[in-house]
């Protein structure tokens, strides 16, 4: 669908479109609250990891799977979610996702062991895969081209502020009640989203879409990502199983691209990538969100288990970052109108890279204001400059009739980035931690019993405990050393993101159509 001028309306809907201003406000309200559930879980669960690791006696591999099960199904099925919305109605699929996500959140809260929690997190990912692409697709189909950038900026900003409240509230709930309550906070949000959507949000769909879904593509994507993720997480002790899973995963993904290139109704229309801007924006998304996801997985573990922050303090540590994104997002959404896409998408990731580097200034100890706060501020500024222009660039570089698919692709790329980053950085982290810990233990000349006790807890990383003060300090120093390596990887990924923008993003993107 071509971009329509504001006065002619901007919604292709099943029924007649409502007044633009009225519909726009309610669409923003519903999509902001719905998306917030997904984004809150992305930050709150990380704050809850130390508590649930202790409560469920989980290893670091278990904790990784709590994060990765969610990311796996979210990333693998986002493309299907976008296509379902374009085909059957974006509001309808959005609502199905909201209800499923809420039900899975309740299951997470009642989970009796780590395996049940991992399964419930996977179901949450399925709900998120229906919910997230529907949010941006509803915005994109409800606002005209002239207002779309600022609408997406508003969505980004308010989503950021609701996400900011989540970790602080979640940290308080962890301290005073239980980690289980971080999942229950999704339930009232879901009820509100359903009520607003049914009453005020107009339906829209792609009337020209082929009436068929790409089941083979969805299955191959899921198997491929699952195999590769399993191989990376279990590489340290999985042996032949990890190798077989990795081979199966790579083969499935290779087959996936072959199937998509020949399908009449692909969930990943490769024709969209004829646009250099669309390709470049997704490549820089892969790098930037990979860096962010990897760092944010380990940061709460560092703050709580090594720096001895409370859960509430750890939840509030990133509050300045999210507030910066909120305050600046509407402004940054307008940067693309004034300067074009390329400049902010080069500068933003470079600033973010400086922020990741500043996190290395903290060792064991030190105040929040001198160690964490400067890094958070610089990282927040970099993300504020990047996020809204990046999202707007993706949505503007394709024909709006494929808004759901394009949103699904970009969100899938960001989730795949997080999925792979946590797995790869987790492998690098464990190798660095174990190497540093082993060298340190050799120098301490511990009694055999104490040495054996520490060795048995290696898989818990900084959650390992010892009565020997020297050993406990060594565990913290080993964690910080490994975390430093992860931060350098994040810096490199940020630079790669900026280079992608410099080489591929056009100043004024021309929408790509899929034949």
């Amino acid at each position: 669908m071509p971009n329509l001028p504001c006065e002619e309306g901007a919604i292709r809907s099943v029924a007649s479109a409502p007044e633009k201003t009225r519909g726009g406000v309610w669409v923003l309200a519903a999509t902001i609250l719905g998306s917030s559930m997904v984004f809150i879980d992305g930050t709150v669960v990380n704050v809850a990891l130390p508590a649930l690791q202790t409560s469920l006696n989980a290893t670091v591999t278990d904790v990784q799977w709590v994060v990765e099960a969610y990311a796996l199904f979210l990333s693998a099925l986002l493309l299907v979610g976008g296509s379902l919305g374009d085909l059957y109605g974006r509001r309808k699929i959005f609502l199905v996702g909201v209800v499923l996500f809420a039900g899975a959140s309740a299951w997470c809260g009642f989970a009796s062991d780590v395996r049940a929690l991992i399964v419930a997190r996977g179901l949450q990912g399925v709900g998120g895969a229906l919910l997230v692409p529907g949010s941006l697709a509803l915005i994109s189909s409800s606002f005209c081209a002239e207002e779309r950038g600022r609408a997406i900026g508003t969505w980004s900003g308010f989503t950021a502020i609701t996400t900011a409240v989540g970790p602080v509230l979640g940290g308080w709930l962890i301290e005073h009640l239980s980690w289980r309550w971080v999942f229950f906070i999704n339930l009232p949000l879901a009820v509100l989203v359903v009520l607003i959507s049914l009453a005020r949000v107009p339906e829209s769909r792609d009337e020209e879409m082929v009436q068929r879904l790409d089941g083979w593509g969805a299955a191959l994507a899921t198997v491929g990502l699952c195999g590769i993720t399993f191989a990376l997480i279990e590489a340290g002790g999985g042996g032949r199983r990890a190798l077989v899973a990795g081979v199966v995963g790579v083969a499935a993904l290779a087959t996936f691209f072959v199937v998509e290139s020949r399908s009449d109704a692909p969930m990943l229309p490769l024709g969209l990538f004829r646009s250099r801007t669309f390709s470049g924006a997704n490549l820089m998304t892969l790098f930037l969100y990979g860096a962010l996801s990897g760092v944010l997985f380990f940061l709460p573990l560092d703050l709580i288990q090594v720096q001895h922050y409370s859960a509430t303090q750890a939840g509030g540590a990133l509050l300045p970052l999210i507030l910066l994104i909120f305050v600046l997002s509407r402004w940054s959404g307008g940067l693309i109108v004034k300067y074009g896409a390329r400049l902010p998408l080069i500068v933003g990731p470079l600033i973010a890279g400086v922020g990741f580097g500043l996190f290395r200034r903290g060792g064991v100890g030190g105040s929040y204001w001198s160690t964490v706060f400067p890094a958070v501020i610089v990282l927040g500024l970099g993300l504020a400059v990047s996020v809204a222009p990046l999202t707007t660039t993706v949505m503007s570089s394709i024909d709006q009739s494929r808004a759901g698919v394009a949103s699904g692709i970009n969100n899938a790329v960001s989730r795949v980035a997080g999925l792979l980053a946590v797995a790869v950085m987790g492998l690098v982290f464990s190798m660095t931690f174990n190497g540093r810990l082993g060298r340190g233990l050799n120098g301490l000349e511990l009694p055999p019993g104490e040495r054996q006790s520490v060795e048995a807890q290696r898989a818990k990383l900084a959650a390992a405990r010892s009565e020997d003060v020297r050993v406990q300090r060594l565990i913290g120093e080993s964690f910080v050393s490994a975390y430093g390596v992860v931060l350098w990887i994040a810096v490199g990924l940020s630079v790669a993101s900026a280079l992608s923008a410099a080489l591929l993003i056009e100043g004024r993107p021309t929408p790509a159509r899929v034949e």
Side-chain angles (χ1 to χ4, degrees):
M1 182 183 72
N3 295 333
L4 300 177
C6 291
E7 59 271 16
E8 293 180 20
I11 303 175
R12 179 203 296 259
S13 63
V14 183
S16 60
E19 289 296 320
K20 176 176 66 67
T21 301
R22 177 177 171 232
V25 170
W26 290 110
V27 166
L28 277 176
T31 56
I32 285 167
L33 291 173
S35 300
S36 294
M37 295 194 303
V38 178
F39 298 141
I40 284 172
D41 264 44
T43 51
V44 172
V45 170
N46 286 357
V47 175
L49 291 180
L52 68 86
Q53 184 179 12
T54 300
S55 173
L56 301 178
N57 194 29
T59 66
V60 70
T61 299
D62 295 329
V63 167
Q64 278 183 278
W65 275 116
V66 170
V67 174
E68 296 288 68
Y70 175 70
L72 173 63
F73 286 96
L74 182 59
S75 57
L77 298 178
L78 269 172
L79 299 176
V80 176
S83 296
L84 283 169
D86 285 343
L87 178 58
Y88 294 113
R90 290 155 186 159
R91 186 187 70 166
K92 181 184 298 182
I93 299 303
F94 173 76
L95 282 172
V96 171
V98 169
V99 172
L100 184 58
F101 193 92
S105 297
W107 186 5
C108 288
F110 289 116
S112 59
D113 56 51
V114 72
R115 291 185 178 180
L117 178 60
I118 290 169
V119 173
R121 287 282 287 164
L123 187 59
Q124 262 192 323
V126 177
L130 301 178
L131 188 165
V132 172
S135 298
L136 279 174
L138 283 170
I139 292 174
S140 191
S141 63
S142 300
F143 287 86
C144 61
E146 291 85 348
E147 294 187 357
R148 190 174 299 126
R150 293 196 182 277
I152 291 174
T154 302
W155 173 84
S156 298
F158 277 95
T159 299
I161 200 66
T162 54
T163 304
V165 174
V168 179
L169 176 60
W172 186 88
L173 292 172
I174 292 165
E175 277 191 69
H176 298 282
L177 295 173
S178 167
W179 59 265
R180 299 177 185 277
W181 284 90
V182 304
F183 296 105
F184 293 143
I185 62 177
N186 290 324
L187 303 184
L189 285 176
V191 171
L192 190 56
V193 171
V194 170
L195 292 177
I196 293 174
S197 298
L198 290 176
R200 297 290 185 176
V201 175
E203 183 62 280
S204 68
R205 65 166 63 101
D206 180 5
E207 303 290 357
E208 298 177 0
M209 183 176 179
V210 177
Q211 302 294 300
R212 184 163 59 84
L213 288 176
D214 184 11
W216 278 109
L220 288 168
T222 304
V223 171
L225 290 173
C226 187
I228 292 173
T229 303
F230 182 89
L232 291 170
I233 292 178
E234 303 289 342
R240 181 174 295 179
R241 289 189 310 160
L243 178 61
V244 171
V247 171
V248 170
V250 170
L253 283 185
T255 307
F256 167 76
F257 285 106
V258 173
V259 168
E260 296 305 283
S261 68
R262 299 177 178 178
S263 175
D264 293 331
M267 74 179 202
L268 178 62
L270 298 180
L272 290 176
F273 292 93
R274 293 171 189 158
S275 166
R276 283 183 59 198
T277 294
F278 185 77
S279 300
N282 281 288
L283 184 60
M284 66 174 296
T285 297
L286 182 72
F287 291 137
L288 184 59
Y289 280 81
L292 183 64
S293 299
V295 170
L296 293 188
F297 176 80
F298 291 104
L299 179 59
L301 297 174
D302 175 58
L303 294 179
I304 294 173
Q305 295 179 339
V306 178
Q307 312 299 340
H308 304 298
Y309 284 42
S310 68
T312 304
Q313 290 171 330
L318 291 177
L319 189 58
L321 178 152
I322 301 172
L323 289 175
L324 262 178
I325 297 176
F326 169 70
V327 171
L328 298 178
S329 61
R330 189 166 181 85
W331 162 78
S332 66
L335 287 177
I336 196 171
V337 176
K338 189 173 183 180
Y339 299 105
R342 196 162 172 263
L343 182 60
L345 295 182
I346 294 172
V347 173
L350 292 177
I351 297 174
V354 174
F356 288 128
L358 287 174
F359 276 112
R360 297 196 80 254
R361 296 173 66 247
V364 178
S367 72
Y368 168 79
W369 300 107
S370 63
T371 57
V372 179
F373 182 73
V376 167
I377 290 296
V378 176
L379 178 59
L381 178 60
L383 293 177
V385 173
S386 305
V387 172
L390 176 58
T391 305
T392 304
T393 299
V394 170
M395 301 305 289
S396 300
S397 63
I398 51 89
D399 186 271
Q400 290 307 302
S401 67
R402 308 311 303 274
V405 174
S407 172
I409 289 172
N410 189 243
N411 278 283
V413 168
S414 68
R415 300 298 171 172
V416 168
L419 179 74
L420 297 179
V422 170
V424 173
M425 291 186 186
L427 178 60
V428 172
F429 192 101
S430 294
M431 293 173 61
T432 307
F433 175 87
N434 287 328
R436 175 72 172 80
L437 182 64
R439 291 190 299 272
L441 290 175
N442 290 337
L444 290 179
E445 299 181 354
L446 297 174
E450 178 66 19
R451 175 68 181 257
Q452 184 176 2
S453 174
V454 176
E455 294 284 0
Q457 299 182 73
R458 276 182 182 268
K460 294 184 177 181
L461 300 181
R465 290 291 175 260
S466 172
E467 297 296 327
D468 192 315
V469 176
R470 298 173 302 161
V471 173
Q472 198 62 55
R473 182 171 61 249
L474 175 62
I475 291 170
E477 291 171 349
S478 300
F479 188 98
V480 170
S481 177
Y483 187 42
V485 173
V486 165
L487 291 171
W488 277 124
I489 295 173
V491 171
L493 289 173
S494 300
V495 173
S497 183
L499 288 174
S500 300
L503 296 173
L504 296 173
I505 300 293
E506 302 171 15
R508 305 287 176 181
T510 301
R513 292 189 65 90
V514 179
E515 301 299 332

